[in-house]
Amino acid sequence: MKDHTWTVDVDRVWKGADKLAARIRLLDVYKDMDCEFYFEPGRAYLFFAIRAKSSRYVYYQPEVCNWTSALRSKRVAGPHGALWLEDLIVENYGPGEPPRGEDPWKRLPEHDRDDRD
């Protein structure tokens, strides 16, 4: 599972900011399928994800074949012409807010945490 999990620093949230931590773990459950994800370290992304609690770990998984994408990589039709997907989100839903949730991984024993903590 380690080869298709990522630790992600969260900048802004449009839904669930009170439950989402500033650092989360993404799990690609679509590994080896058409909608498999590949994320580049250091690149910023817009994630559309759902919470997927597995045993005692909390992961988020990008939804299958949706608009999860790197910033400035996807143009969409807006009311005044084409614009970047993230700009359409801000135009329709505001600037988002910082995450305020507790990181559930911080409560794990040291040997169960990933090497980025």
Side-chain angles (χ1 to χ4, degrees):
M1 182 180 339
K2 195 89 166 146
D3 59 336
H4 272 267
T5 62
W6 298 270
T7 300
V8 175
D9 292 322
V10 178
D11 182 49
R12 295 183 286 167
V13 180
W14 283 267
K15 184 176 179 184
D18 56 328
K19 295 179 182 173
L20 196 68
R23 177 171 279 182
I24 64 165
R25 279 42 172 212
L26 287 179
L27 169 64
D28 184 5
V29 297
Y30 305 106
K31 182 180 182 300
D32 299 327
M33 299 171 86
D34 288 345
C35 295
E36 182 174 19
F37 286 99
Y38 294 96
F39 302 112
E40 296 175 39
R43 191 160 187 197
Y45 288 84
L46 177 63
F47 291 102
F48 292 82
I50 59 173
R51 188 172 184 190
K53 188 171 182 176
S54 164
S55 65
R56 61 185 189 191
Y57 301 102
V58 175
Y59 287 97
Y60 289 84
Q61 66 186 56
E63 293 187 28
V64 65
C65 297
N66 66 18
W67 285 5
T68 293
S69 58
L71 296 185
R72 301 293 189 247
S73 69
K74 189 173 291 215
R75 306 274 296 170
V76 295
H80 310 292
L83 67 160
W84 295 113
L85 174 60
E86 59 271 19
D87 293 338
L88 180 66
I89 299 293
V90 169
E91 187 175 298
N92 287 320
Y93 301 102
E97 57 186 307
R100 298 185 305 272
E102 176 192 0
D103 184 347
W105 287 63
K106 295 291 182 194
R107 289 183 263 135
L108 292 177
E110 190 68 34
H111 67 277
D112 284 344
R113 295 184 195 174
D114 70 20
D115 57 1
R116 295 194 57 192
D117 283 338

